[in-house]
Amino acid sequence: SKMDEIAILKGELPMEVSDLEDEITGLKTRLKKLESSVSEIELEIARHNNNIKESEALIVKYENQLDSVKNNREFDALTKEIELQKLEIQLSQKKIRETTGNRDSKKEALDTISAKLAQRTK
């Protein structure tokens, strides 16, 4: 019976190797997808940071224009533009916080998959 067990195990060995190879391929694919996703998220964060800088520059511009207004309509329009840019900054900051959380969770998954892949390829 011991010989039979060894023969059965020997017969299943190619299937186990194939399963491990498939698992490694799947892990590598998931790893690449997560890496590209993290890259996209970092680009999105950079875009939001640029939006914040642009809004801050516009606020400074509008505040400088407030010094030379000629009527109430101009003043009201500039004040509304300043408020709008401040809201844009708040929105971008909120999106950065959300995106950063998403990026961190993806990085954790990336680390987990990397560790699993390293374990499988040993």
Side-chain angles (χ1 to χ4, degrees):
S1 75
K2 193 75 168 169
M3 296 271 291
D4 291 337
E5 287 179 29
I6 293 173
I8 291 172
L9 190 65
K10 184 179 166 185
E12 292 176 358
L13 195 57
M15 290 189 316
E16 288 184 34
V17 169
S18 175
D19 289 344
L20 286 174
E21 287 174 346
D22 290 344
E23 184 179 357
I24 288 172
T25 303
L27 288 172
K28 286 180 180 179
T29 303
R30 286 181 56 201
L31 193 67
K32 286 179 184 177
K33 285 182 182 180
L34 281 173
E35 286 172 346
S36 68
S37 179
V38 167
S39 298
E40 289 173 15
I41 289 172
E42 288 176 352
L43 288 173
E44 186 175 343
I45 289 172
R47 192 180 81 242
H48 288 301
N49 282 327
N50 286 336
N51 287 344
I52 289 172
K53 288 178 185 175
E54 289 173 10
S55 292
E56 288 171 345
L58 286 172
I59 287 173
V60 169
K61 175 185 167 189
Y62 295 144
E63 287 175 345
N64 288 336
Q65 288 178 351
L66 279 176
D67 295 335
S68 63
V69 293
K70 296 178 180 148
N71 57 40
N72 282 344
R73 265 197 335 219
E74 283 183 49
F75 181 81
D76 290 341
L78 288 171
T79 305
K80 286 182 182 179
E81 282 297 322
I82 290 171
E83 288 176 25
L84 177 68
Q85 293 306 317
K86 287 180 180 178
L87 289 173
E88 285 290 329
I89 289 172
Q90 289 176 354
L91 180 64
S92 289
Q93 288 171 340
K94 179 183 175 189
K95 287 183 179 180
I96 287 172
R97 283 190 301 272
E98 291 172 355
T99 308
T100 301
N102 190 9
R103 180 191 64 192
D104 292 343
S105 66
K106 292 206 185 245
K107 281 188 175 183
E108 287 177 17
L110 192 71
D111 292 340
T112 303
I113 291 173
S114 295
K116 194 181 279 188
L117 186 61
Q119 182 183 23
R120 296 288 191 240
T121 56
K122 284 186 179 180

